[in-house]
C-alpha cells in the first residue's frame, strides 16, 4: 500500500491518524454508554522521533515483499510455553512472550543464561534466509513489573503501590532505567509496563500494580517510568541498548470495576473514565511509549479489546498514539461473539497484536482466512503491521541481536540494589508511633512474624512465578529479608537480635518487631470480598497481643499490596508501619526503624499514603473529594519523626462484611468447605478414612456403574480458566480402575464435559499421587465455565477404589495438562 507516513514528522503522522477511519470496516454498535466521544478526551501525541521518513520508507519496502501469511503472523504473539523456535518456520509469528509461569524449556526458574539463549534461538529462526521467507525479527516481551522479576538474581523493586507512597517521579524514572538494563541483559526486548491503572476499589487483586487511587500520582509517574524504560526517543536512531520498549496498560479503566472484580465491568460514565482512569495515558504517549495493552475488563458491558471508539477513535486518534496496541492474555476471547482462537472483531476495532499464548496456532489460521475473504480489510492489516514494524525498527531489532544480551553482570548490580533499598526507605508509611520509634540499634531486639525472614513474602506476586509463590530466600541471591537487614544493623551497633517467628523468645527483648501481612497473589486470585485482614483467623493479632501482655513494646511492619482494615492490629501495636511489598532489599526497612549507632536519625519516614486507609472492612470505597469522605487515615497521611501525632484507640468493629464465596477449595483438611458437598450415586460407596489425621480422607469404592461428585452451588470459573488454573487432586488408587474413567465438570442439567482419565486411576497402589488438570481442558471439551455446578465428577463402571485427600484449584506452574485415557 502507499506509505501513509510520507512527509516529515508530525505532519505525516497526523495525516495517518486522520486516515484511521478508512482502515477498519464498521463494527456493530456496542452499548450506547460504551461509545466514547473523542473530543471530550485529553489530547496527546507520540513524539515525531518515534519514526522518520527513511524508516517509514524502509517499512513500506519491507511490507511490499511480505506475503499475507507473514503479515498476519506479525499480529500474533505466542507464549514460550507453547511454541518452539522451529515453529516459526511454519507460523511466521511476530512476537513471543513469557507469561508469569513460563520459562525456558518449561522451567520458570531457569538461570539467566537460558533466557539469553532462548531469545537468541527465536531471533535466529525469525531472521533466517530461506526461500519464501522475509526475515523479520520477533519481539520478545515479559512482565518486568517491579524489576526483571522473572529472573533469579535480578533486582526486585517495591511494587507500584509502594512507589506511589514515595511521591518521587525522578526515583521512578531511575527504577525504570535500572529495570530496562537488566531486561536488556537477558536478550528481552519489551516489558509490559508501566501500569497506569488507578485502583478505586482495593478489593481488586491487582491493586498493588497501580501507583495509587488518585490520578495525580499516576499522571506524574507515567511519563517518567516510560522515559526510564525506553529513554528519550531520538530522531532517526534506535533506543539506547540499555533500554527496552514499554507498554502503558491496561487500557482502560481496569481499576474501576464494580466490586473490585478482576476482569470485571467498569459501570461508570465517560466523564469519570476520562477524569480518573485515562490520565496516565497522555503523559506516557507524549513520552514516547511504544506499545499500549488493552484490558481484560469492560466499560459498561463492552470489552475493551474490541471497543473501536476507545482504541481507534480515542487512543490512536485523539491521543495520537503511533505505536501498536496488544491485548492481554487471550483477552480477545472474552469479546462477545469471539473465542480465544477466533476474534476478527478485535483487529477490526483497532487491535494490532493478539496475545494468544496457547491459542496462537488456530488464531493464526482463522485470521488468515478472515483477511483472505475480506472480513478484515487489507488496509487494517497493513496498518497493524506497519505499527508493529515501526516499533521493531525503533528498538533496533533489524540491526542485529540486542547489544547487551548476555552481559549478565548487569543483573542485580550493587548500584541497582542500592536504588531498590532507597526505594524501600522512601515507600514506608508510618501510621502510628507512640514514641517507641526510632529504635536504638544497641538494644536487644526480637524479630517475630511469619514474614520476617521471607524475601518471597515481602516481594509479593509477579516474583519469579506468576503468583509469587514457591520461592525461598535462596531464589534471591543478593537480596535481604527484613530480618536480615535488622540483624545486620543491630549487630553493627553491638546490639542483639533474635529471630523467633512465633514470638517465643529465648531472651527477653527490649522491643519486638513483628513482620506480618498478606501472602503473595496476582490478578484475580487476590480479589477479596472485604478488606478485613485475616477474617476469622486473627493469628497475627494474637501474636501482637501476647507480646504486649508481656510488657514488650511492639513495632508492627505490615506487608500488603493494598490498604486493609487493621484497626485491631494497629491498636495492639506501639508503632505501625505500612511497608507495602518492598521487594528484595528488605534492609531498607531497618534503615528507617533504627537510629545510627551515634544516636542520630539516619533516615526519617517520608512516605505518604497513596490510598485511603479504610475505617470499615466492607465500606463502599471512598476517595479524596467524595462527599462524606472519612477514612481511617486519609490519602496523603503519613507520620514522621519530625512530625509526630498521637493516634487514638481505633474502633474495632469492622462493620457488616459479606460472606466470601468459596470457588477454589472443594475438599481440604478432611471437609468440604461451604458451599460444597459430596454426592455419591449408583454403585459408589463413600466413607471417611484416616491418613495421619482423623477422617481427613474420603474413600470412594465403585462396585458397579456410579458417580462421585462435589457440588452445591453455581459458580463462575471463567476467570480461573482464562488464568490457566488447574483442578488439583491429591489421591491414592487403592484398587485400579477396571474400566474407563471420566473426570468431568458439569454446568447444570445436560451441560458438562468429561475427559477420559483412565491414566490417572490405573496401576498398582504406590502411595499418594497428585494430578493437575487444566480447566481449559474442560472448557475446550464443552463445559460452560461461567456456570459450573459440579467442579469435580468422577464416573466409571467400576471396579475402582480411590482415597481422596484434597481437591482444589491451583495455579498452573507448567505441570498441568489434559489427562490421557
Amino acid at each position: 500500500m502507499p506509505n501513509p507516513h510520507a512527509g516529515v514528522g508530525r505532519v505525516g503522522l497526523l495525516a495517518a491518524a486522520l486516515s484511521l477511519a478508512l482502515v477498519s470496516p464498521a463494527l456493530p454498535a456496542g452499548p450506547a454508554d460504551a461509545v466514547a466521544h473523542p473530543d471530550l478526551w485529553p489530547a496527546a501525541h507520540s513524539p515525531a522521533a518515534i519514526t522518520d521518513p527513511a524508516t517509514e520508507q524502509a517499512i513500506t519496502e519491507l511490507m511490499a515483499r511480505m506475503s499475507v501469511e507473514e503479515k498476519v503472523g506479525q499480529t500474533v504473539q505466542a507464549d514460550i510455553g507453547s511454541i518452539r523456535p522451529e515453529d516459526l518456520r511454519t507460523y511466521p509469528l511476530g512476537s513471543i512472550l513469557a507469561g508469569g509461569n513460563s520459562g525456558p524449556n518449561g522451567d520458570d526458574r531457569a538461570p539467566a543464561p537460558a533466557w539469553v539463549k532462548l531469545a537468541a534461538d527465536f531471533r535466529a529462526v525469525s531472521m533466517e534466509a530461506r526461500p519464501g521467507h522475509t526475515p523479520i525479527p520477533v519481539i520478545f516481551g515479559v512482565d518486568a513489573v517491579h524489576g526483571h522479576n522473572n529472573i533469579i538474581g535480578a533486582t526486585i523493586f517495591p511494587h507500584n503501590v509502594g512507589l506511589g507512597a514515595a511521591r518521587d517521579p525522578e526515583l521512578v524514572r531511575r527504577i525504570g532505567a535500572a529495570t530496562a538494563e537488566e531486561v536488556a541483559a537477558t536478550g528481552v526486548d519489551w516489558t509490559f509496563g508501566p501500569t497506569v491503572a488507578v485502583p478505586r476499589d482495593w478489593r481488586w487483586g491487582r491493586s498493588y500494580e497501580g501507583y495509587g487511587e488518585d490520578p495525580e500520582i499516576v499522571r506524574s509517574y507515567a511519563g517518567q517510568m516510560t522515559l526510564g524504560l525506553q529513554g528519550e526517543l531520538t530522531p532517526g536512531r534506535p533506543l539506547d541498548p540499555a533500554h527496552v520498549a514499554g507498554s502503558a496498560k491496561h487500557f482502560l479503566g481496569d481499576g474501576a470495576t464494580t466490586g473490585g472484580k478482576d476482569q470485571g465491568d467498569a459501570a461508570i460514565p465517560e466523564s469519570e473514565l476520562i477524569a480518573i482512569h485515562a490520565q496516565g495515558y497522555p503523559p506516557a504517549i507524549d513520552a514516547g511509549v511504544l506499545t499500549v495493552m488493552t484490558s481484560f475488563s469492560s466499560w459498561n458491558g463492552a470489552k475493551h479489546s474490541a471497543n473501536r471508539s476507545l482504541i481507534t477513535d480515542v487512543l490512536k486518534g485523539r491521543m495520537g498514539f503511533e505505536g501498536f496496541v496488544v491485548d492481554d492474555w487471550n483477552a480477545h476471547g472474552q469479546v462477545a461473539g469471539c473465542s480465544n482462537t477466533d476474534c476478527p472483531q478485535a483487529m477490526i476495532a483497532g487491535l494490532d497484536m493478539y496475545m494468544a499464548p496457547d491459542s496462537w496456532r488456530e488464531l493464526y489460521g482463522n485470521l488468515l482466512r478472515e483477511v483472505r475473504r475480506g472480513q478484515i480489510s487489507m488496509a487494517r492489516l497493513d496498518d497493524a503491521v506497519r505499527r508493529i514494524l515501526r516499533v521493531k525498527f525503533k528498538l533496533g531489532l533489524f540491526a542485529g541481536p540486542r547489544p547487551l544480551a548476555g552481559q549478565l553482570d548487569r543483573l542485580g548490580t550493587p548500584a541497582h540494589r542500592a536504588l531498590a533499598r532507597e526505594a524501600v526507605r522512601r515507600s514506608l508509611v508510618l501510621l502510628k508511633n507512640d514514641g517507641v520509634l526510632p529504635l536504638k540499634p544497641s538494644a536487644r531486639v526480637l524479630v517475630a512474624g511469619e514474614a520476617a525472614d521471607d524475601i518471597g513474602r515481602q516481594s509479593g506476586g509477579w516474583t519469579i512465578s506468576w503468583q509469587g509463590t514457591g520461592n525461598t530466600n535462596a531464589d534471591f541471591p543478593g537480596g535481604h529479608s527484613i530480618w536480615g537487614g535488622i540483624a545486620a544493623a543491630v549487630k553493627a551497633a553491638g546490639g542483639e537480635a533474635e529471630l523467633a517467628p512465633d514470638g517465643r523468645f529465648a531472651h527477653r527483648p527490649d522491643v519486638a518487631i513483628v513482620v506480618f501481612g498478606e501472602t503473595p497473589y496476582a490478578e484475580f486470585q487476590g480479589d477479596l470480598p472485604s478488606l478485613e485482614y485475616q477474617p476469622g483467623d486473627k493469628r497475627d493479632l494474637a501474636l501482637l497481643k501476647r507480646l504486649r501482655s508481656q510488657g514488650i513494646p511492639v513495632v508492627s511492619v505490615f506487608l500488603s499490596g493494598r490498604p486493609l482494615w487493621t484497626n485491631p492490629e494497629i491498636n495492639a501495636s506501639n508503632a505501625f508501619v505500612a511497608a507495602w511489598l518492598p521487594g528484595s532489599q528488605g534492609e531498607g526497612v531497618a534503615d528507617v526503624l533504627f537510629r545510627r549507632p551515634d544516636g542520630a536519625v539516619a533516615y526519617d519516614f517520608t512516605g505518604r499514603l497513596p490510598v485511603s486507609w479504610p475505617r470499615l472492612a466492607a465500606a463502599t470505597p471512598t476517595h479524596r473529594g467524595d462527599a462524606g469522605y472519612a477514612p481511617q487515615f486519609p490519602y496523603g497521611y503519613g507520620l514522621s519523626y519530625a512530625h509526630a501525632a498521637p493516634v487514638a484507640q481505633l474502633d474495632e468493629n469492622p462493620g457488616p462484611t459479606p460472606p466470601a464465596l468459596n470457588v477454589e477449595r472443594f475438599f481440604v483438611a478432611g471437609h468440604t468447605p461451604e458451599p460444597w458437598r459430596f454426592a455419591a450415586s449408583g454403585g459408589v460407596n463413600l466413607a471417611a478414612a484416616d491418613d495421619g489425621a482423623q477422617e481427613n480422607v474420603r474413600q470412594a469404592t465403585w462396585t458397579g456403574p456410579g458417580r462421585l461428585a462435589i457440588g452445591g452451588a453455581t459458580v463462575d470459573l471463567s476467570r480461573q480458566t482464562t488464568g490457566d488454573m488447574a483442578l488439583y487432586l491429591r489421591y491414592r488408587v487403592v484398587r485400579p480402575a477396571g474400566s474407563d474413567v471420566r473426570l468431568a465438570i458439569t454446568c447444570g442439567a445436560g451441560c458438562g464435559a468429561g475427559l477420559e482419565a483412565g491414566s490417572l486411576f490405573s496401576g498398582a497402589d504406590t502411595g499418594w499421587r497428585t494430578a493437575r488438570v487444566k480447566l481449559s481442558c474442560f472448557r475446550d471439551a464443552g463445559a460452560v465455565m461461567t456456570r459450573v455446578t459440579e467442579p469435580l465428577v468422577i464416573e466409571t463402571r467400576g471396579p475402582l477404589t480411590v482415597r481422596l485427600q484434597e481437591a482444589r484449584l491451583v495455579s498452573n506452574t507448567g505441570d498441568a495438562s489434559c489427562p490421557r485415557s
Side-chain angles (χ1 to χ4, degrees):
M1 64 178 285
N3 180 5
H5 299 286
V8 180
R10 288 184 181 269
V11 176
L13 294 178
L14 181 57
L18 294 174
S19 71
L20 283 171
L22 302 178
V23 300
S24 300
L27 282 170
D33 49 1
V35 176
H37 301 83
D39 289 346
L40 302 178
W41 290 68
H45 210 291
S46 294
I50 196 172
T51 189
D52 57 85
T55 297
E56 294 302 322
Q57 183 60 36
I59 293 172
T60 297
E61 293 172 0
L62 180 61
M63 290 176 64
R65 299 194 300 272
M66 294 172 67
S67 66
V68 67
E69 292 85 357
E70 290 173 322
K71 289 181 177 180
V72 168
Q74 286 298 304
T75 70
V76 179
Q77 181 186 59
D79 184 79
I80 60 172
S82 67
I83 190 171
R84 301 168 301 171
E86 51 266 35
D87 290 327
L88 297 181
R89 297 190 180 107
T90 304
Y91 300 91
L93 304 193
S95 181
I96 56 171
L97 82 149
N101 284 328
S102 298
N105 306 310
D107 181 7
D108 67 349
R109 296 171 189 277
W115 288 85
V116 177
K117 183 179 186 302
L118 180 82
D121 289 347
F122 273 98
R123 175 185 169 79
V125 176
S126 70
M127 293 298 288
E128 284 177 345
R130 58 182 186 272
H133 172 62
T134 306
I136 299 173
V138 293
I139 181 173
F140 185 3
V142 299
D143 283 283
V145 295
H146 64 139
H148 196 8
N149 44 262
N150 299 276
I151 306 296
I152 291 176
T155 310
I156 308 298
F157 292 94
H159 266 298
N160 284 350
V161 66
L163 299 183
R167 298 295 208 283
D168 189 339
E170 189 272 339
L171 173 68
V172 166
R173 182 168 178 165
R174 287 189 285 140
I175 288 172
T179 299
E181 182 180 351
E182 297 199 13
V183 171
T186 58
V188 176
D189 312 302
W190 175 23
T191 178
F192 304 139
T195 299
V196 294
V198 183
R200 301 291 274 183
D201 190 322
W202 293 92
R203 291 172 292 184
W204 184 35
R206 304 192 77 158
S207 291
Y208 61 76
E209 296 185 46
Y211 294 116
E213 69 181 33
D214 195 290
E216 71 170 3
I217 304 177
V218 178
R219 203 162 40 231
S220 69
Y221 278 8
Q224 293 303 306
M225 180 58 86
T226 298
L227 290 170
L229 292 170
Q230 297 186 171
E232 293 192 24
L233 304 188
T234 303
R237 295 181 57 187
L239 300 190
D240 180 88
H243 291 285
V244 297
S247 188
K249 66 180 188 183
H250 303 87
F251 192 80
L252 184 67
D254 48 339
T257 58
T258 301
K261 181 180 179 181
D262 190 41
Q263 303 180 24
D265 184 47
I268 59 175
E270 184 177 8
S271 58
E272 184 175 337
L273 190 66
I274 296 169
I276 302 296
H277 301 282
Q279 294 302 303
Y281 291 92
I285 291 169
D286 286 341
V289 72
L290 293 175
T291 74
V292 169
M293 182 183 293
T294 58
S295 177
F296 278 115
S297 60
S298 55
W299 173 42
N300 292 326
K303 285 291 182 180
H304 289 298
S305 293
N307 190 322
R308 174 179 172 136
S309 72
L310 286 174
I311 299 174
T312 295
D313 300 341
V314 170
L315 180 61
K316 295 180 175 180
R318 178 68 172 172
M319 293 187 182
F321 175 61
E322 295 293 339
F324 72 80
V325 180
V326 61
D327 73 337
D328 209 337
W329 186 280
N330 278 332
H332 53 272
Q334 299 185 21
V335 173
C338 288
S339 68
N340 290 353
T341 60
D342 192 10
C343 191
Q345 295 95 313
M347 183 173 286
I348 293 169
L351 188 75
D352 302 309
M353 181 180 286
Y354 293 81
M355 186 183 289
D358 55 356
S359 56
W360 56 271
R361 186 178 280 103
E362 295 85 354
L363 179 72
Y364 170 81
N366 285 326
L367 286 173
L368 190 57
R369 282 188 291 273
E370 287 149 1
V371 169
R372 284 173 169 164
R373 66 176 179 236
Q375 185 175 359
I376 298 173
S377 71
M378 186 57 72
R380 174 74 271 269
L381 176 63
D382 280 349
D383 176 63
V385 173
R386 178 172 291 277
R387 289 169 175 273
I388 292 166
L389 295 178
R390 181 180 298 140
V391 171
K392 291 183 175 184
F393 270 101
K394 198 63 185 177
L395 277 168
L397 299 186
F398 286 91
R402 294 198 63 84
L404 299 191
Q407 296 184 23
L408 299 179
D409 56 345
R410 293 175 182 261
L411 288 174
T413 65
H416 291 174
R417 295 195 182 279
L419 176 60
R421 182 172 179 171
E422 175 189 352
V424 174
R425 292 195 298 264
R426 301 292 303 280
S427 69
L428 303 176
V429 179
L430 182 61
L431 298 184
K432 176 183 178 180
N433 182 21
D434 67 5
V436 66
L437 294 176
L439 301 173
K440 295 179 180 178
S442 58
R444 176 175 286 169
V445 180
L446 169 69
V447 181
E450 294 177 353
D453 192 26
D454 191 333
I455 303 175
R457 181 87 168 262
Q458 73 196 35
S459 296
W462 288 111
T463 304
I464 302 178
S465 66
W466 174 38
Q467 294 295 314
T469 54
N471 296 323
T472 69
N473 287 356
D475 293 319
F476 301 91
H480 292 84
S481 68
I482 293 173
W483 149 253
I486 292 170
V490 171
K491 180 180 179 181
E496 180 181 329
E498 178 183 354
L499 176 65
D502 63 0
R504 303 189 184 281
F505 48 82
H507 304 286
R508 181 178 176 82
D510 299 316
V511 65
I513 300 173
V514 183
V515 186
F516 62 98
E518 292 189 290
T519 54
Y521 56 84
E523 300 193 33
F524 61 86
Q525 293 193 45
D527 284 3
L528 293 175
S530 84
L531 292 178
E532 181 175 2
Y533 178 63
Q534 289 187 335
D537 179 19
K538 298 290 187 182
R539 59 188 183 278
D540 289 332
L541 176 62
L543 172 58
L544 301 176
K545 286 184 172 180
R546 175 158 51 83
L547 291 168
R548 287 294 300 276
S549 71
Q550 295 172 285
I552 299 169
V554 171
V555 175
S556 287
V557 176
F558 185 60
L559 302 177
S560 71
R562 52 191 154 198
L564 294 175
W565 187 77
T566 50
N567 284 13
E569 289 81 7
I570 293 173
N571 285 338
S573 306
N574 297 91
F576 194 95
V577 178
W580 314 110
L581 298 170
S584 61
Q585 306 314 125
E587 62 266 49
V589 174
D591 289 344
V592 183
L593 294 185
F594 288 91
R595 296 179 182 273
R596 290 192 180 116
D598 63 6
V601 172
Y603 299 99
D604 202 348
F605 286 91
T606 59
R608 298 292 178 266
L609 286 179
V611 301
S612 300
W613 203 272
R615 182 178 297 275
L616 297 172
T620 301
T622 180
H623 312 101
R624 183 178 65 157
D626 291 351
Y629 179 65
Q632 191 64 69
F633 300 106
Y635 172 88
Y637 174 91
L639 303 175
S640 67
Y641 300 143
H643 298 92
V647 174
Q649 186 79 1
L650 305 181
D651 186 350
E652 297 193 3
N653 178 8
T657 55
L661 177 60
N662 166 35
V663 300
E664 296 180 2
R665 298 164 62 248
F666 312 129
F667 180 61
V668 292
H671 73 285
T672 47
E674 290 291 342
W676 306 110
R677 295 288 183 272
F678 276 109
S681 59
V684 180
N685 177 60
L686 183 66
D690 298 340
D691 183 60
Q694 187 173 8
E695 297 188 353
N696 69 328
V697 170
R698 295 293 182 272
Q699 179 166 302
T701 302
W702 278 259
T703 57
R707 182 179 193 271
L708 176 68
I710 294 178
T714 300
V715 297
D716 182 353
L717 297 183
S718 58
R719 291 187 303 162
Q720 287 81 354
T721 305
T722 301
D724 201 28
M725 293 190 74
L727 173 64
Y728 169 84
L729 302 177
R730 189 171 193 273
Y731 64 105
R732 185 169 185 171
V733 178
V734 178
R735 182 181 183 183
S739 61
D740 293 342
V741 181
R742 294 178 74 249
L743 186 67
I745 283 179
T746 68
C747 40
C751 176
L755 306 174
E756 295 300 326
S759 61
L760 300 181
F761 300 96
S762 62
D765 180 7
T766 56
W768 291 101
R769 312 181 187 185
T770 60
R772 292 171 173 83
V773 181
K774 297 173 67 170
L775 292 181
S776 59
C777 303
F778 299 101
R779 178 201 61 203
D780 295 345
V784 179
M785 304 305 288
T786 56
R787 49 184 174 91
V788 171
T789 53
E790 292 173 319
L792 173 63
V793 178
I794 302 173
E795 294 179 292
T796 185
R797 295 189 302 273
L800 172 66
T801 301
V802 174
R803 286 190 166 193
L804 182 65
Q805 188 181 68
E806 194 169 0
R808 59 189 173 92
L809 300 186
V810 298
S811 296
N812 175 16
T813 56
D815 52 0
S817 62
C818 299
R820 295 176 288 105
S821 60

